[in-house]
Amino acid sequence: MEKTLDLELSRRQLLKTTAIAAGGLVLAYYVPFGMQRAFAQGGAAPQSYPPNAFVRIAPDDSITIVINKLEMGQGVNTSMAQLIADELECDWTKISSVSAEVNPVYNHPFMGIQMTGGSTALASSWEQHRRIGATMREMLKSAAAARWGVKPESCKAEKGAIVHKTKGKLRYGELVDEANQLPVPTDVKLKAPKDYKFIGKSMPRVDAPAKSNGTAQFAMDVRLPGMMYAMVAHPPVAGAKATAVDDKAARAVPGVLDVVKFADRVAVLGKNTHAARKGRDALVVTWDVAESAVSTASIEADFKKHAEATDAPLAEERGKVDESMAKATDKRSMDYLLPFLAHASMEPLNVTINFDGTTCELWSGHQMPGVDQGAAAQVLGIPPASVKVNTTYAGGSFGRRASKTCDYVVIAAQLAKEVKKPLKVVWSREDDMRGGYYRPMAFHRVTLGFDKKKLVAWDHHVVCQGIMKGTPFEAMMVKNGIEGTAVEGIAGTHYDVGPFRCRQTLADSPMTTLWWRSVGHTHTAFVMETMMDELAEATGKDPLTMRRELAKKSPRHVAVLDLLAKISGWPKKKPEKGRAFGLAVHESFNTVVGQVVEVSLDGKTPRVHRVWAAAHCGQVVNPEVAKSQVESAIVFGLSAALYQEIKIEKGAVVTGNFDDFPVLRMSEMPVVEIAFVPSTDAPTGLGEPGVPPIAPAVANAVYKLTKTRVRTLPFARSMA
């Protein structure tokens, strides 16, 4: 792990390590997470922080932004560029972006490590990047004013130049060297929302040209002189080791260069991926697999037993639940089961690595590049500084490339340590699906107590495997036996339902878990929002109206529900014959998203025809990018809800590819209409919040069609 950088970096040190080396004007500010809201409300700006974002203006007027986040399709490079460009008053066509190197100055303000995740990229950069742009603007104005012999306030920044009503115009590139010599202002004024030029507009993506013409570099695109391609035979069950290897048939495959046994795996090296894979498939490996009775069913049964506990750690309690429950005249207990899920991003895991015995260089789509650097260094027995990490574009991730054990980087490093030649280690879909890391299984037991039609008590027990154990976030995220990610969306709910209790049991299983797009909200939202519909039915209320009443102390929930009613026509609009509407609303990553779906049944399979989505995510920086985030979340969440689950038999994952872990097909894609609550508040998360509401919205619609409550996902299992 990187050491914390000294907070008191002098301007002279900053220039030595950044601007001079880059040959242009380089500035940045560090804004601790959580301070953005204070700044937005008029709080003081930080005076001295180490930089964790950089931007350079070159003499040719080009503007290069060094992005300390992974661009994995979510549009972060573009949105961050808009923040700087708006304050800098630059020419949008001059902007490009590059990925940051590994350096503590690029650490996430809140997480303390260099990372992309938690839907925090834009939220944590909102104040920071605008201030960078404003600071540059003022330094360039001062440089121009000094050359002209006028006051800086008489100068104006305009489309990549400083202009003066009598002195003329100077391009930014002409002023770089002089601006570099000036003091860095600490009291720059940021624009009012009414003056935004780029923020709030759908500016063209800065990565679109490179991705269109093929010059964008993904890790799979990296080619090195003399590079070999590696496919690895992974243990069929965690902990198994290869005791014998028959590689005769593998070595006979055209293009196979070598077979290497390393750690607990076997790799086939080839001239290309095809040869390496054919060779790997031809291997005959004997594994010391112990007989196992672990299965999906056995883990489910174990979790259900844990739900019987009455002394589970308490996550939250409001009011006197036991006392209120004892007075209830009607008690209803419901069990929910949600499966293990894989990330299944379109670009399979891969790492290009070059280790010469002394130094190492990595290329991959790193969500946590500093952590990956340290892990590779430890395996190779060299200092972290001797490992150079290149973060490329990634074809999706959903959390998989933020491996808490750096598994795919560690495996590449273990092999490179044996080979000491340039390697591209590629995982097949089955490798990742069967040897990867999963969204935890979760079991919920909810007991409601009623007195006639009035809810008087809510008792909620979550049994879930944790994901934070052994991670850099464990100390922060696990307190008194409660892992916040397992109960997020339940504990702290904005619904005022009266006496309410949430307990949690962290149950172990042989499966390795990892954060998955929207983390715990993926299962908590399903339970909470289907329960809300059950509560509405039990109390004879309209589902949207009831939610609005229960969440009336949260203006953002109310605003989303009102907007959702407006765009969907709820409750006046009626669905087509044979269809039903379903509703869900959920807050995650400080963003509230509501969805109304129109659903029919194709046999026993729900068919979603239309989705109306409303979101309150603060200031929308790029509407088209924001819409694509919500649309992709709907596809991702709907795929999981309808079809996906990881199945285990005799200790091994048997789910392998998209044939048994389907992704929504184009012909199944619903029409999606998205609206955002107008706001000038600081942006909140958006990469993940569109996922949680879709499954419960569909389940609520299915109930109207079948009069059967769906409490187990996926629908393919519960409605089979």
Side-chain angles (χ1 to χ4, degrees):
M1 302 295 293
E2 303 99 344
K3 294 181 179 179
T4 302
L5 202 68
D6 184 0
L7 293 182
E8 297 300 325
L9 280 181
S10 69
R11 178 174 177 271
R12 185 183 301 276
Q13 290 172 313
L14 176 61
L15 289 174
K16 279 184 178 180
T17 59
T18 57
I20 293 175
L25 177 58
V26 182
L27 292 173
Y29 277 89
Y30 175 91
V31 182
F33 189 84
M35 294 182 70
Q36 294 92 338
R37 191 176 299 276
F39 294 153
Q41 295 171 351
Q47 299 300 309
S48 177
Y49 290 101
N52 74 338
F54 297 89
V55 60
R56 180 175 76 238
I57 299 177
D60 66 354
D61 296 332
S62 63
I63 299 172
T64 304
I65 300 173
V66 182
I67 303 293
N68 61 333
K69 310 296 181 187
L70 171 63
E71 175 58 76
M72 44 189 159
Q74 80 277 42
V76 67
N77 287 16
T78 304
S79 298
M80 286 188 169
Q82 286 180 249
L83 304 184
I84 291 176
D86 214 309
E87 293 290 348
L88 184 55
E89 298 286 0
C90 64
D91 182 345
W92 182 259
T93 64
K94 300 289 186 181
I95 289 181
S96 62
S97 63
V98 296
S99 294
E101 64 179 0
V102 175
N103 190 308
V105 299
Y106 294 115
N107 283 355
H108 191 293
F110 176 57
M111 301 298 184
I113 62 173
Q114 194 169 332
M115 68 163 291
T116 307
S119 293
T120 61
L122 192 58
S124 64
S125 305
W126 168 247
E127 175 78 14
Q128 177 191 74
H129 276 57
R130 288 186 301 141
R131 196 163 291 277
I132 290 168
T135 302
M136 282 190 166
R137 179 192 69 221
E138 294 306 308
M139 292 179 72
L140 290 162
K141 284 169 61 177
S142 294
R147 185 185 292 192
W148 287 326
V150 300
K151 293 182 178 181
E153 52 266 31
S154 68
C155 301
K156 181 181 180 182
E158 187 177 274
K159 202 171 182 180
I162 304 299
V163 297
H164 187 272
K165 61 182 179 181
T166 61
K167 298 296 183 178
K169 179 169 69 173
L170 289 170
R171 296 180 295 103
Y172 285 175
E174 298 178 81
L175 297 167
V176 170
D177 292 337
E178 293 157 76
N180 256 337
Q181 306 306 313
L182 298 175
V184 179
T186 58
D187 58 350
V188 294
K189 184 179 180 181
L190 300 181
K191 286 183 177 181
K194 65 181 178 60
D195 297 321
Y196 292 156
K197 293 182 179 177
F198 298 128
I199 294 173
K201 295 184 179 180
S202 297
M203 303 305 296
R205 289 181 59 140
V206 296
D207 54 346
K211 288 181 176 178
S212 299
N213 62 30
T215 59
Q217 189 176 66
F218 291 77
M220 288 292 285
D221 298 321
V222 176
R223 300 290 187 272
L224 303 177
M227 184 178 76
M228 295 185 290
Y229 294 76
M231 292 289 287
V232 176
H234 299 275
V237 176
K241 296 186 183 300
T243 57
V245 179
D246 182 349
D247 60 10
K248 184 176 180 181
R251 291 182 181 277
V253 173
V256 168
L257 301 173
D258 200 1
V259 177
V260 180
K261 188 176 183 299
F262 70 105
D264 57 351
R265 290 168 167 80
V266 184
V268 175
L269 310 183
K271 293 182 178 180
N272 50 56
T273 303
H274 179 71
R277 177 159 187 167
K278 294 289 286 185
R280 194 274 302 268
D281 292 347
L283 283 175
V284 179
V285 183
T286 302
W287 302 93
D288 68 340
V289 181
E291 188 171 333
S292 174
V294 173
S295 66
T296 304
S298 71
I299 298 173
E300 291 173 0
D302 183 56
F303 279 26
K304 289 177 182 179
K305 288 181 182 178
H306 282 296
E308 301 294 337
T310 58
D311 58 349
L314 185 66
E316 181 187 23
E317 184 163 12
R318 309 174 191 176
K320 298 179 180 179
V321 173
D322 288 335
E323 182 179 315
S324 299
M325 192 70 76
K327 297 177 181 178
T329 57
D330 179 16
K331 297 178 185 178
R332 306 178 189 182
S333 186
M334 287 72 71
D335 289 350
Y336 287 81
L337 181 65
L338 297 100
F340 290 105
L341 291 170
H343 302 78
S345 52
M346 287 296 108
E347 181 193 10
L349 292 174
N350 65 99
V351 180
T352 299
I353 184 168
N354 188 10
F355 176 58
D356 61 10
T358 304
T359 62
C360 175
E361 191 164 6
L362 293 169
W363 291 261
S364 193
H366 301 277
Q367 278 189 257
M368 300 193 297
V371 178
D372 288 342
Q373 179 193 53
Q378 185 174 15
V379 170
L380 299 172
I382 59 178
S386 296
V387 179
K388 181 180 180 182
V389 176
N390 302 283
T391 299
T392 65
Y393 288 123
S397 175
F398 317 120
R400 182 63 181 97
R401 299 179 202 276
S403 170
K404 59 187 179 183
T405 63
C406 309
D407 62 310
Y408 64 100
V409 172
V410 165
I411 290 168
Q414 289 172 334
L415 181 57
K417 188 176 183 179
E418 298 291 329
V419 177
K420 294 185 177 64
K421 291 180 181 179
L423 294 171
K424 183 182 291 295
V425 183
V426 181
W427 291 49
S428 69
R429 179 71 58 201
E430 290 81 1
D431 292 339
D432 190 19
M433 197 83 76
R434 292 176 178 158
Y437 290 52
Y438 308 100
R439 193 285 300 269
M441 177 186 289
F443 181 83
H444 293 239
R445 177 161 291 167
V446 184
T447 302
L448 301 184
F450 292 90
D451 184 3
K452 297 181 180 179
K453 286 192 174 184
K454 181 182 179 181
L455 178 69
V456 296
W458 182 312
D459 194 8
H460 200 138
H461 189 177
V462 180
V463 180
C464 184
Q465 189 173 349
I467 59 176
M468 292 297 170
K469 187 176 181 179
T471 75
F473 316 114
E474 183 175 2
M476 178 175 60
M477 298 297 292
V478 182
K479 299 289 185 181
N480 302 319
I482 297 295
E483 182 174 306
T485 59
V487 292
E488 57 188 2
I490 301 174
T493 177
H494 286 280
Y495 291 131
D496 184 5
V497 293
F500 174 87
R501 178 168 60 203
C502 176
R503 293 174 295 168
Q504 177 196 107
T505 297
L506 292 177
D508 288 329
S509 90
M511 305 294 286
T512 307
T513 59
L514 189 63
W515 29 76
W516 187 88
R517 191 174 184 178
S518 72
V519 200
H521 297 284
T522 62
H523 58 89
T524 62
F526 181 75
V527 178
M528 290 297 290
E529 286 303 298
T530 53
M531 287 302 306
M532 281 294 112
D533 259 39
E534 292 202 42
L535 182 59
E537 183 181 49
T539 55
K541 296 180 179 179
D542 171 71
L544 190 147
T545 303
M546 185 199 71
R547 285 173 170 85
R548 197 179 188 282
E549 292 173 354
L550 295 178
K552 62 184 178 182
K553 293 181 181 179
S554 173
R556 293 184 305 144
H557 281 76
V558 172
V560 166
L561 287 166
D562 288 348
L563 180 57
L564 193 58
K566 180 180 178 180
I567 64 175
S568 69
W570 187 292
K572 294 181 179 180
K573 185 175 181 178
K574 303 302 179 184
E576 293 184 22
K577 186 178 180 180
R579 299 182 183 183
F581 290 145
L583 163 71
V585 62
H586 189 78
E587 179 178 6
S588 60
F589 308 95
N590 298 315
T591 291
V592 181
V593 176
Q595 294 169 359
V596 169
V597 297
E598 185 176 18
V599 178
S600 68
L601 291 179
D602 184 1
K604 292 184 177 181
T605 302
R607 174 66 186 268
V608 182
H609 300 275
R610 193 175 187 93
V611 180
W612 293 270
H616 195 318
C617 57
Q619 174 70 57
V620 176
V621 175
N622 187 309
E624 282 303 316
V625 168
K627 286 180 180 179
S628 70
Q629 288 279 55
V630 178
E631 287 172 343
S632 69
I634 288 169
V635 175
F636 188 85
L638 190 53
S639 298
L642 292 177
Y643 306 120
Q644 295 175 351
E645 65 175 317
I646 289 294
K647 297 178 181 179
I648 306 105
E649 295 177 7
K650 297 182 179 179
V653 172
V654 295
T655 311
N657 211 317
F658 291 129
D659 57 339
D660 52 6
F661 197 83
V663 173
L664 204 68
R665 299 304 196 256
M666 290 182 68
S667 61
E668 299 173 288
M669 181 65 194
V671 175
V672 178
E673 181 180 341
I674 299 168
F676 297 96
V677 174
S679 175
T680 57
D681 293 344
T684 52
L686 197 56
E688 300 168 271
V691 174
I694 190 67
V698 174
N700 290 334
V702 166
Y703 174 74
K704 294 179 181 179
L705 293 170
T706 65
K707 295 304 177 183
T708 299
R709 296 287 181 187
V710 174
R711 296 197 177 99
T712 297
L713 289 182
F715 287 96
R717 175 181 176 181
S718 60
M719 298 181 69

